[in-house]
């Protein structure tokens, strides 16, 4: 793992400051060694072709989303094409190092009581109802969403870690030395074929955005969305109507590609890459014949500069943090939950609790992970279940359910019409049942679900 990044710390724990060699800000699996877990296809880790070839958002696995730059046609630097020989490594590293030092200073000041800031309880109760009332108050003006592969699984894109159905559990046919290798940059340079074969299966444009994606769009339309940080590389946030300015595609995007030649770096379009991938031809540069890679962040590559730049300003302004469909296993993305002010509420919508304080660090008073159950809990709420159901439940409490349902139906019909599938697809499905109101300590009962399914890690994404 590179210097300046947090080590293992699924979800908000301080973890370890790794002083190993290498430029800062690189994407880490959150665990050492080949067995380390990666994010989902949609979760931008490395490419989640569609937590995609992600994160690796896992590569951006989770959904192929795991990306992006401000303003239409943002420049190359903002899109964060960070290869090992990128000219911006040292500059980004310095910014990242300062960012981590500021974070640690603030963390120590807050947790050891060295500052004057005292936690203020802003939710009248630690439930989804309490969050909805806060969102309708004058105190909530800037909402930041951080999302992973779990928000794209209902679109048909696998996450990375669900037993039996996750991406990593179904890569046997690629003869990899270990599952994460498919999203590691050094392995890709030597053996690009497995990645591009997977990309054909998960390529953007074959899936529709989910209820979660359109809920985030509603936040934008209501003037509440400050930013959406995504690990996914499936581009479904864009398809749902979010602009580049609304997004930080932390694990890159399939939207553009670049030649890996150190003296070339020629840029290629989504259509060019799509043609190569579906013709089963390994993409090679027209100019120098070097390998061409989608601009998704693989393990061992730097995150886009945009991630570090906006993180500094956004997390000083945020009034509410909504975390959806991520296991918070991949750093530095997972550390975002700890960067909000101490009085900012945090809502987790996920199949399982994650991002909780490490017991050892908590005993030392050095944790800013989420706390759902202890006597000291004052701002964190967990809604456990499918992400689409959680968004539906919240929309209903906010009085937005009909609007959300109409938006999903309209947008899905437009996508079907554009692809010539309107007649075959039929009517778009209605929103999923909201389920029972969740409490900070126990998952809601969900219509049509069984205890066995409840225990799946489906929305753990990344």
């Amino acid at each position: 793992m590179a210097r300046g990044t947090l080590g293992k710390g699924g979800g908000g724990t301080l973890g370890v400051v790794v002083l190993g060699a290498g430029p800062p800000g690189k994407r880490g699996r959150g665990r050492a060694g080949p067995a380390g877990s990666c994010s989902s296809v949609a979760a931008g880790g490395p490419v989640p072709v569609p937590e995609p070839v992600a994160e690796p958002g896992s590569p951006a696995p989770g959904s192929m989303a795991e990306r992006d730059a401000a303003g239409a046609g943002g420049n190359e630097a903002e899109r964060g094409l960070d290869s090992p020989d990128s000219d911006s490594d040292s500059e980004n590293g310095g910014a990242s190092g300062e960012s981590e030092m500021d974070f640690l200073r603030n963390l120590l000041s807050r947790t050891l009581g060295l500052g004057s800031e005292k936690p203020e309880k802003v939710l009248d109760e630690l439930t989804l109802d309490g969050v909805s009332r806060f969102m309708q108050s004058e105190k909530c003006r800037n909402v930041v969403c951080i999302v992973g592969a779990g928000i794209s699984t209902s679109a048909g894109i696998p996450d990375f870690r669900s037993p039996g159905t996750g991406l990593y559990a179904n890569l046997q046919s690629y003869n990899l030395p270990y599952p994460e290798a498919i999203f590691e940059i050094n392995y890709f340079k030597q053996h690009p074929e497995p990645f591009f074969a997977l990309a054909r299966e998960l390529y953007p444009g074959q899936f529709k955005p989910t209820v979660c994606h359109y809920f985030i769009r509603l936040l934008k339309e209501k003037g509440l969305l400050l930013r959406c940080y995504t690990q996914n590389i499936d581009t479904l946030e864009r398809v749902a109507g979010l602009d580049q300015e609304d997004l930080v595609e932390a694990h890159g995007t399939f939207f553009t590609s670049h030649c890996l030649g150190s003296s070339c770096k020629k840029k290629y379009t989504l259509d060019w890459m799509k043609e190569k991938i579906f013709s089963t031809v390994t993409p090679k540069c027209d100019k120098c014949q070097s390998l061409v890679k989608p601009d998704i962040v693989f393990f061992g590559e730097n995150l886009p500069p945009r991630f570090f730049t906006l993180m500094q300003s956004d997390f000083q302004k945020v009034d509410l943090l909504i975390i959806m469909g991520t296991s918070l296993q991949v750093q530095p993305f997972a550390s975002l939950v700890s960067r909000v002010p101490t009085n900012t509420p945090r809502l987790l919508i996920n199949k399982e609790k994650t991002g909780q304080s490490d017991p050892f660090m908590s005993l030392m008073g050095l944790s800013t992970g989420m706390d759902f159950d202890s006597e000291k809990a004052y701002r964190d709420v967990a809604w456990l279940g499918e992400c689409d159901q959680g968004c539906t439940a919240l929309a209903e409490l906010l009085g937005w359910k009909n609007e959300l349902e109409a938006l999903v139906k309209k947008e899905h019909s437009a996508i079907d019409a554009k692809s010539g599938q309107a007649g075959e697809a039929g009517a778009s499905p209605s929103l999923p049942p909201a389920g029972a109101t969740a409490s900070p300590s126990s998952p809601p009962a969900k219509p049509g679900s069984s205890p066995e399914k409840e225990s799946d890690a489906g929305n753990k994404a990344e």
Side-chain angles (χ1 to χ4, degrees):
M1 192 174 296
R3 174 178 309 158
T5 61
L6 295 182
K8 180 183 177 183
T13 60
L14 174 60
V16 178
V17 178
V18 181
L19 299 179
K26 289 193 177 181
R27 176 178 184 179
R29 283 195 295 266
R31 295 179 190 164
S37 56
C38 153
S39 45
S40 70
V41 177
V47 62
V49 156
E51 184 199 107
V53 173
E55 70 83 58
S58 342
S63 75
M64 195 184 210
E66 234 164 68
R67 349 288 242 325
D68 148 331
N75 62 36
E76 226 176 87
E78 282 193 288
R79 262 190 305 273
L81 175 62
D82 294 323
S83 60
D85 44 1
S86 171
D87 293 337
S88 63
D89 274 2
S90 59
E91 179 180 348
N92 297 338
S96 174
E98 293 177 7
S99 166
E100 295 300 340
M101 287 304 298
D102 289 340
F103 169 58
L104 291 174
R105 290 192 193 100
N106 292 334
L107 173 65
L108 291 172
S109 176
R110 292 198 301 265
T111 57
L112 297 181
L114 301 179
S116 59
E117 185 178 10
K118 294 183 179 179
E120 173 190 355
K121 187 174 181 179
V122 295
L123 298 179
D124 55 32
E125 62 178 13
L126 297 180
T127 64
L128 200 64
D129 295 78
V131 172
S132 69
R133 288 191 288 272
F134 175 72
M135 291 179 68
Q136 294 171 305
S137 74
E138 294 297 320
K139 294 181 179 179
C140 187
R141 288 290 176 265
N142 294 304
V143 177
V144 169
C145 296
I146 65 175
V147 302
I151 74 167
S152 294
T153 54
S154 65
I157 300 173
D159 65 21
F160 287 100
R161 300 184 178 89
S162 290
T165 61
L167 182 66
Y168 288 151
N170 293 280
L171 294 176
Q172 299 89 343
S173 62
Y174 298 111
N175 297 317
L176 301 168
Y178 46 90
E180 293 86 350
I182 200 167
F183 298 123
E184 290 187 346
I185 187 61
N186 290 332
Y187 185 85
F188 172 79
K189 289 178 178 179
Q190 297 297 320
H191 308 283
E193 297 81 7
F195 169 79
F196 286 117
L198 178 63
R200 280 193 292 277
E201 298 180 37
L202 303 175
Y203 204 79
Q206 305 179 78
F207 306 95
K208 298 175 188 175
T210 67
V211 171
C212 285
H213 292 101
Y214 289 115
F215 179 79
I216 298 172
R217 174 171 160 182
L218 268 188
L219 289 175
K220 173 186 175 179
E221 293 181 355
K222 302 290 184 181
L224 291 173
L225 183 68
L226 175 60
R227 205 86 58 196
C228 176
Y229 286 71
T230 178
Q231 291 176 284
N232 300 330
I233 58 170
D234 50 26
T235 72
L236 290 183
E237 293 89 358
R238 294 182 186 235
V239 177
L242 297 188
D243 298 324
Q244 287 187 353
E245 181 58 28
D246 304 317
L247 288 167
V248 171
E249 293 168 317
H251 293 165
T253 178
F254 260 89
F255 201 68
T256 56
S257 301
H258 281 78
C259 169
L260 292 181
S262 58
S263 60
C264 182
K265 306 296 184 185
K266 183 177 178 181
K267 178 180 175 181
Y268 290 90
T269 65
L270 178 67
D271 289 340
W272 183 92
M273 178 58 72
K274 182 177 181 178
E275 179 183 354
K276 299 295 183 182
I277 288 178
F278 283 93
S279 64
T280 70
V281 173
T282 299
K284 296 289 184 70
C285 180
D286 299 335
K287 181 179 179 182
C288 71
Q289 291 303 301
S290 295
L291 194 62
V292 176
K293 182 183 82 69
D295 291 346
I296 56 177
V297 181
F298 279 63
F299 290 133
E301 290 190 295
N302 290 331
L303 270 65
R306 178 175 171 80
F307 173 84
F308 299 101
T309 300
L310 289 178
M311 175 180 71
Q312 297 304 307
S313 58
D314 288 348
F315 283 80
Q316 293 178 9
K317 303 174 185 175
V318 59
D319 299 315
L320 172 66
L321 183 68
I322 301 179
I323 306 112
M324 297 190 286
T326 173
S327 60
L328 296 175
Q329 294 289 319
V330 177
Q331 297 290 2
F333 190 90
S335 69
L336 293 178
V337 298
S338 300
R339 293 185 175 275
V340 299
T342 56
N343 62 342
T344 297
R346 299 179 292 193
L347 170 63
L348 173 70
I349 298 177
N350 207 48
K351 274 195 171 181
E352 296 182 0
K353 291 178 183 176
T354 188
Q356 293 166 280
S357 300
D358 179 270
F360 176 72
M361 300 303 288
S362 294
L363 287 174
M364 297 177 62
L366 293 174
S367 176
T368 55
M370 290 186 283
D371 180 1
F372 304 113
D373 307 310
S374 82
E375 295 180 356
K376 296 181 180 179
Y378 71 98
R379 61 166 172 166
D380 297 325
V381 177
W383 192 99
L384 303 183
E386 299 289 347
C387 289
D388 283 354
Q389 291 182 347
C391 287
T392 300
L394 182 54
E396 187 168 16
L397 291 170
L398 292 167
W400 303 353
K401 183 178 179 181
N402 291 340
E403 191 174 354
L404 178 58
E405 186 170 23
L407 179 62
V408 173
K409 183 175 182 180
K410 180 187 74 172
E411 293 296 321
H412 281 189
S413 294
I415 292 172
D416 288 339
K418 186 175 181 180
S419 61
Q421 298 174 349
E424 303 173 11
S428 294
S430 59
L431 297 187
T437 300
S439 69
S441 60
S442 62
K446 295 181 302 224
S449 65
S450 64
E452 291 75 19
K453 289 184 179 180
E454 291 280 327
S455 65
D456 284 348
N459 279 355
K460 276 181 76 175
E462 267 174 40

